[in-house]
Amino acid sequence: MPASALACALAVAVSFAPPAAAGAEAEVAPATPKSAATQAASGEARQTPQEPRTPGSLTECRRLALADRLAATDCYRGLLAAPALDIRAEAAWALGDLRVAARAFRAAIEAAPDDADIRVRFADMRFAAHLAADAEAGYLEALAIDPAHAGAKLGLARIAMSRFEGRAQELANEVLEAQPDNADARLLLAELALEFGDTPRAEQWLAHGLGHPDERVRLRAMALAAACDHLRGIAPSPWEARALASHPGNGALFETVARFYIITRRYREAVALLERAVATDPALWSAHATLGLNLLRLDRFDDGRAALTRAHNGFPYNPQVVNTLRLLDGMAEWPVRAEADVTLRIAPEESEALGPYVRRLVADAVRVIGARYGFTPSGPVVVELFGRHADFAVRTSGLPGIGILGATFGDVVVMDSPSARGVDEGFDWASALWHEVAHVVTLGATDNRVSRWFSEGVSVLEEWQTGPSRFQVPPAPVELGAGADLAPDEPASAGANEPPRGPAAPPSVIKAYRDGRLLPVAKLDEGFIRPSYAGQVGVSYTQAGLLCEHIVATRGHRAVAAMLDEYRAGKDTADAIRGALGVEPETLDAEFANHLAGRFAGIDIAAFDDAMGRARAAYEAQNWPGAAAAAEEAIAAQPHRVDQNSPYPLLAQAENRLGRRDQAIAALTTYWQAGGRGEAALSRLAEWQEAAGRAEDALAARAMLALISPMSPAHRGVLGDRLFAVGRAADALVEYRAHFALGPHDAATAHYRLAKANHALDHTDLARRHLLAALEIAPRFPEALTLLLEMAK
Amino acid sequence: MAERPTVLWRAGRVPLALALAVGAAAGASAEQSHMLVVAGLGGEPAYVDAFRRAAAAAAERGRAFGAKVTVLADESAGRDGIRRAIADIADSAREADSVVAHFIGHGSYDGEHYRFNVPGPDPTAADLAAWLEPLPRKRLVILTTSAAGAGLDALLTGTGAVITATRDGRETNAVVFHRFWTEALQARSADVNKDQRISAEEAFQHTASAVAAHYERAGRIATEHPRLEGAAAPFTVAVLGPARPQPPADDPAVARLVERSETLTRRIDELKAARKSLAMEDYFAQLQELLLELAVVERDLKRSRDGADGQPPPSGGGP
């Protein structure tokens, strides 16, 4: 999924020490001191949106900062000895000395504990220094003193905005109710409107700021007005020239516009603007940081590192920069395997085990999904896999703690690897990779203009219909194999009166539907970007998938391709629906409601839960007939449920205990075909199929086990043996290489397997080398000695 | 299975030919393996079942290579039952014999004493050590319980090796060690040196690796860290294939093959030890030469054992 909208800014607790200095005391000096002249009113930590009680001298310094930075520096220096502690703090902050500023703010608060304004300014500084949690506490302290404090509310709103929380708008509206002319509240609401792509509304909010007497407000409003133009395809915006005419060094203008390109995943445009931002204002460290992070999203590692290094040298407090630089240090040794259609970056210890699977999955996904929607990436898809979730999170957002599993930046896919979490933790990595490659297609087909919900919906649909864990319980609505060639087709529904079949929706989605909490299509993006209830993001994913399922079922894949064309032409969701589907969004909502009424008809979650409870109790009591009967009831209450609460594995176990192995196999087969990927269940299925002489079915199950749990030496080795036994030595060799790379306990066998596969493929030197290695460990290894004699013939 | 002398050797270290020669020429003094397997108090039915199954598997694998096996479970596995069983083994065992004492179940540690949980009063590690003292010194104790690490030091005294399921007495959760030990006893991958026998050391390494993987896969902090102290390689705990042929006194050809096989494996060990002083190509050329000859010898030995190919007994495997 595109990460920009999910890059939750959860600042790490670094206080005012450079983040690289582990264990540093609070509020120590930066590791790389810089001159006050370069710090004055520049770069990071200089946001001053709310300026209560600004004395004339401070106002003058701020005015100078817009026109003459050196003069501003002298001005601020003059205030460092001001009688008012909070003025000293403001001056030190403006000069970039956060330690002194923090000390002065603390002293000011101690001297005037009931002064909410000082607390708010201190919190503003902390938020600008990426200490959101501390800032939040400060704003709340101010509100405890003055419950109507506008600055505190707007501070909390900005924090909420940075975390993509829905209450940002609510807080800004509260301020406006009390102070209808509050410029900061209006600008914040304009930003929020722009985040949703609502440019008309943003312009309404900006009108006030564009005519504001405060020059600083006007400049911010002009930057947002320029962003409006860019989002509407007017680039360059006339507002740029106007803003630069009065302040030629206003790099923040381009930084602001770039932010909205990032949100809409148009990283090339964002990078171009950020490059202008730092060229215009070389000391704009926040722009250097954002530039670096977004160059990485374009796979420009060297340039990205250089920009991040500049950002760090200028402002060492940004945890995103520090974390990312550390990550890049760690990735320096990663092998980069570049081929025509796929470039892989995988940690050396995982590369052999994952590389072949990733290449195959990406190539298949590009071919299958690209054919459906008429788009093929012009260059290779770049895939980076991270064995530690925290590394993936840093690569995605610069910060640990995000909940997503994968992200796509144009042609660059970054994901958790299967080492980060297992399939039994709900992470079906192969399906997730398929999902991300679908994003590559929808983003590429629309020049990154596709709406969030539609891109997610298509990706979810492709997971269900063509991915490695696709739903294929016969009769399926679409009988396709991963890797099958698919073209835009006719509606795929089995019939007008037959509800489309597909994977079971999670109970949370069915509940949201029945509670009337699903969003109308025109607002579905909000469910991803600013969820209003717990779990809404997950619900929105499935809703988007179901909506795309409905579009395909009623109009065919051509309709999805047509939607992509509309987005590429710059249409918003409502117009894209009108243009591609020929209906109003409200009509589509009504159709969708009917679709769900059919899809969810007869599903009884309470009955399911009740039956599962009885099934488990019966199983524990070794009442196998009772367990089987209750599991069947659960299946009737909600068919094809394959999550961790699935009844199929339990039914299979009960049937097996009853001596009905065929029924047991059938239950697990349905589970598998419906997308069930529990490792234990599939292992059992493979074993039972092998015992039943169904070698071909068992081989398929073993191949799936190796795919979903590719870091298991046992699965890889056994699959290799089965493939070798049926004469597929080349495929076996892939598995044996993975098995060996995973460092199995039994090294002699690992070498022997590689020897026999290489021997079968006439790779004589490799065969000999591995065979001698096996026998060096275990000289009396019977099979290896036999092979040695055979090779010596 | 007929009780026959069981030769225990540390693969590649103890000359097989010498051991076999002892077995062949002096049957009366050949080493016998004894095994005591105790399934302690389970408490919950799931544990009762699991401990019984683990004990049965260990016993079955022991009988398969000719060990004299005593199994205690349920009421017979009380303090007195264990003491009597150990005393019985002590009475029948000779000094050259080896003993494996395997305790499966729950254990506890009160900060001072480790206790093995059984019906009735629980024996401490010190009790077990005292009861085991009369046994031959070639003995291995496997303590497959929670908190087992707390008993290790006491049991190690006078014992060849001790294996415990946990690092110390603070690891008090029920362990999964026994589950993977049972797997190891029948896993070909546990037989690292492919000699068709699984030594206690090999079983331990396999089990420890599987336990770690179990917790990692489950995404849980490992609450057990198995330990091995002493030399466990000489103790066989399972066999995977037919025993190596005993050189019949009236068949000098087979005796020569056995001897040649031993000579070759010894030379391979010597070559491996000298690896750093040799050029890589030289090393592998010499290794290949020795292995090829060993392959021929082993093939001929197998033919002599199987007698299936109708070939006459081989005349010898090397110079």
Side-chain angles (χ1 to χ4, degrees), chain B residues 269-288:
Chain B
D269 280 345
E270 289 165 1
L271 179 65
K272 282 159 67 175
R275 180 176 182 162
K276 284 184 182 168
S277 64
L278 295 170
M280 193 62 75
E281 275 309 307
D282 283 350
Y283 170 75
F284 280 110
Q286 290 184 46
L287 181 66
Q288 180 171 312

Side-chain angles (χ1 to χ4, degrees), chain A residues 471-645:
Chain A
F471 182 85
Q472 49 185 342
V473 180
V478 181
E479 297 272 1
L480 298 168
D485 286 314
L486 299 166
D489 57 6
E490 291 308 308
S493 89
N497 298 322
E498 185 179 333
R501 293 159 48 82
S508 59
V509 175
I510 297 167
K511 186 170 187 317
Y513 161 71
R514 289 177 176 166
D515 292 348
R517 300 177 85 180
L518 297 184
L519 292 169
V521 63
K523 290 195 167 185
L524 188 46
D525 271 356
E526 292 179 24
F528 293 94
I529 299 170
R530 297 205 182 279
S532 59
Y533 61 88
Q536 190 180 18
V537 173
V539 168
S540 298
Y541 269 90
T542 306
Q543 182 186 345
L546 289 165
L547 195 41
C548 287
E549 177 188 81
H550 165 69
I551 291 169
V552 169
T554 53
R555 295 166 173 88
H557 290 99
R558 282 196 189 89
V560 174
M563 286 281 288
L564 295 174
D565 288 343
E566 295 288 328
Y567 281 121
R568 186 182 182 86
K571 303 282 180 62
D572 63 14
T573 286
D575 283 343
I577 290 169
R578 290 185 192 107
L581 309 184
V583 296
E584 288 297 313
E586 295 75 15
T587 308
L588 183 63
D589 285 333
E591 287 180 22
F592 183 54
N594 285 335
H595 176 78
L596 292 189
R599 187 78 153 68
F600 296 161
I603 294 175
D604 187 338
I605 299 296
F608 177 92
D609 291 342
D610 175 65
M612 278 305 291
R614 284 186 282 112
R616 282 196 205 91
Y619 191 86
E620 280 174 22
Q622 303 190 4
N623 172 6
W624 316 125
E632 295 277 18
E633 279 183 54
I635 290 168
Q638 189 179 15
H640 306 138
R641 183 92 174 256
V642 292
D643 57 11
Q644 289 182 333
N645 202 22

Side-chain angles (χ1 to χ4, degrees), chain A residues 425 679 745-749 768-769 772-773 775-783 785-786 788-789 792, chain B residues 188-189 192-194 196 205-206 244 261-262 265 272 275 283-284 287-288 291-292 294-296 298-299:
Chain A
E425 296 170 85
E679 195 174 349
H745 174 69
D746 182 2
T749 295
R768 171 180 173 268
R769 198 182 309 164
L772 291 179
L775 287 164
E776 187 183 27
I777 298 165
R780 287 203 178 93
F781 191 165
E783 292 88 347
L785 288 173
T786 302
L788 185 64
L789 287 177
Chain B
R188 293 207 166 269
S189 57
V192 171
N193 63 8
K194 306 300 169 197
Q196 305 296 305
Q205 297 298 348
H206 188 279
R244 291 179 63 76
S261 176
E262 285 306 304
T265 51
K272 282 159 67 175
R275 180 176 182 162
Y283 170 75
F284 280 110
L287 181 66
Q288 180 171 312
L291 286 168
L292 268 170
L294 181 63
V296 172
E298 288 293 313
R299 180 197 62 195

Side-chain angles (χ1 to χ4, degrees), chain A residues 217 251 264 288 296 392 535 598 678 731 784:
Chain A
V217 172
T264 51
H288 284 287
L296 297 180
F392 157 70
D731 292 333

